Amino acid sequence: MNPQHRLDVLRGVTPPRPHDARAIAALAANPGCARRALMDGAGVDKDAAARHLGFPAPFGQSPFAITRGNVFEALVKADGCAELLRMLRELLGLPVAEVAYHDVENVGAHLRHAHTRTLIDRAARDEHDAGTLYDHPLLSLEIAGHTAYLEPDVVAFQLGGRFHIVEIKSFAVIDGQADPSAVAAAARQAAVYVLALRTLLEELGHDPLKVSHDVVLVCPENFANRPVASLVDVRRQLAVLRRQLTRMSALDRLLEGLPDDLTFDLRPDDDGRPTRPVAELADALRRTTARYAPDCLSTCDMCFFCRDEARQEGASDLLGRQVRDELGGVASVAEALGLADGTRDPAAGQEEIARLLRNAERLRKECLT
Amino acid sequence: MSLLTSLARLRALDEGIAQPIATVRHCHLADRPMVFIPLKLSGEAAAPLAAMLGADRDRPRLLVVAQPRNRDLRFAWAAELAGVLLPYVEGFLRDTETVERRNADPYERAIDAPQILVPNRAGVAFVRLLGRSMRFRRADGPYPVPESVPLLGRWLTYFAERAAYPGSSLMPAMTEELGRHWASGQSGLEDANLAALLAWITTGPSDDAEDPLIWPPAGPATDPGFDAEVLAPAMESGSAERVTEALRTQLEPSWRLMWQAIDLLAGLEEGAGVASRWEQDRGSFSGMAAHVAEGAPPQPRRDGAVAAAARLARMERAQAAYDAQRAYDDPLVMAEHRLTGEAFAGEVVDTDPGNTEGEGRSRKLRPLVVIKTDDPVRLSPGTSLGTPQRRAQGAELVSAGEGLVTVKITKGMGRGRTAAPGAVPEIGERVCYTSLTDDFQGSPALPDAEATPWTHGGPPREYVPDDEDAQEEWS
Ligand code: SF4
């Protein structure tokens, strides 16, 4: 059976979910997780699966935040992105009088990717082309040997054959500073788009470096709604992303050890309600190897399910990377405690960590009694 | 995190209950702390939604902005908040003591200082933004606000900045403070949830703690489900009472948790260095109050480069001193250094109390002590040592090997020909020596420069807020 077909079987009857850049950035953050790679590769709705399993993801977006985000985006894009253009002019020091504005969303969904390709190709060809803003371009990226389409929630700006990715975010920049974790997340996501656009240019036979590694981040300034643009260098994020994506095992290989008929199908009834027995779905998922880390709690819909599994296995991963690193590869809680109280002999290579753990145990005992 | 803490976390996970990682309390706990739980409107940088606060656990005050997008209501809320916090803060300025200083005028230091407890680090960050959004406002001009608002903004800015200062207890974040004393069986990320961390410490892990319907988040962010299903409809209804009651349900559980956490911390005996760090806090607080009284401008939007560098250096020193002090005060913290070989403890097996060095007038008493230890000592001969058992003394490592360490006492022996009784450890006594030094002790008499960086030698130009600052939008 060919891999695409296998992935379709994995997903079942529901249509595949498009990827958003956030998910891909997160996917790249945990490249060792086969479970996630398979679910995302097949386009499984992880949120629905987690809900059905009784482990709904702890993410939700407040309607207030959504409204605020939409209002801000609308403001930036009003009048054919007039405000955005003003900022780009200042930020990039461009003598742009007027630019064209293309909203790719206006064409039908099935045509959008082809349309994006054509537009970008034309722009890259013509160095004297006037500036253009492409709103909602549909880009794709190869993930673990499969094409993933990116949610088109980004703007690409092109002038003289050079491209910039523009990200509009509604977290505030206050006195020139923003929440570092929000900026980091935005940079990781922008890197996904830069990579996707570069890949597209390369496919079309253009120089991928026409896409700048400086992305334009647009945020509200201080406590008002007024937008401010800044350049964020995402070279580091790009390097990480590229490395992680190549490190991700090809899905074909992940599929190899699995039964042909394995599926994460929820078997929705006519009203879309899942009818698949929960235990059966959980069993199917447990056939794939997860690599739980507390970071999953903010990045993956499956987190509570996988955390529960890690608890049952007594995995030291539960306690976070730092602890895991301290333990130098001792994966189970029982094993680490056994080494600490001397009831377990260290395996080859564990002598040093065992000595440290025994010492730590002795010191804790001495201080607490 | 140290391996010792990691081990405690493993043990906690295995036993289903948090494990102590401190034997004494390392933060000051005020007689009359102010608990402050602010909530913000989702998606906004600093739009206050509500706060529950007060110094009396039976009588929390609830302040609500029924329509957070309404600017007037926000400033009315800020003024109400000032009405509670400012009297609390200023109440500590009445009783002061005069502190003499070398090379400087004596100054007045408050006998006690305010302590404002927030649930978590995000709470501190929100206090900082609230302070930033208020301190440049003016009581006159086109967008006048009550006079108390900019003043509160300066104080909130001060408290939030001071919270970053290692060892300060003026604005502790509760989850951080708890996490310094107990290791839970979950990750540090999950420890930021006050309900979850407290469950680990008291009864054992509970899934309820993560259920926002049972334990709403302790702010400043609200539960998105609550926003969608309860808060948004309540706001739309236009009924201030409905909004208020809705927010009360989100704050009351955290209010109880905060006081429970205070009781837990109060159950620990106070560490020896706490009082001197609190004295620094009192000095810093008094410095800030004097600064305000002198009519100086509000804190600048951003530190100048020089001030930022000076601040960083100060913070690093404070961190090192705080780490050292905690180790001296707490054998369980010292154990971390013993594990890495920077400290050792054991029993005295031999002494030479009369050992001297030099001849004639320069002859000095340098007693030798031999300690038997199981610790992996990684200190080279000649290293200076200190000891929690005799803090005024200094020693030097002579030799170490095969579980025996010889140290020479080099400081604090006085001028006598023989050692004073008790000055040299006796055979059989348990002692601990470490290369960590607590040179923190030099400066506690000085007010902390942090509070007054631009009056006392602070090189940056004064920040003079202009009309634009005062009229800045707050939408
Ligand atoms: S939550 Fe589970 S599936 Fe998702 S990345 Fe983590 S381990 Fe993998």
Side-chain angles (χ1 to χ4, degrees), chain B residues 4 87 93 97 169 242 277 400 457 461:
Chain B
L4 218 60
L93 295 171
E97 59 195 359
S169 292
R242 228 179 110 184
R277 289 195 295 272
R461 237 182 319 136

Side-chain angles (χ1 to χ4, degrees), chain B residues 133-193:
Chain B
S133 68
M134 293 177 194
R135 69 178 187 258
F136 299 121
R137 306 283 146 187
R138 282 200 204 145
D140 51 15
Y143 296 103
V145 299
E147 231 167 285
S148 57
V149 171
L151 181 57
L152 177 66
R154 301 171 66 173
W155 276 111
L156 292 181
T157 303
Y158 167 75
F159 277 100
E161 277 181 4
R162 186 72 192 170
Y165 192 78
S168 168
S169 292
L170 288 178
M171 176 168 274
M174 194 51 93
T175 50
E176 303 275 306
E177 235 26 275
L178 291 173
R180 246 192 280 284
H181 296 86
W182 285 275
S184 74
Q186 60 184 0
S187 66
L189 210 80
E190 291 153 298
D191 279 351
N193 176 336

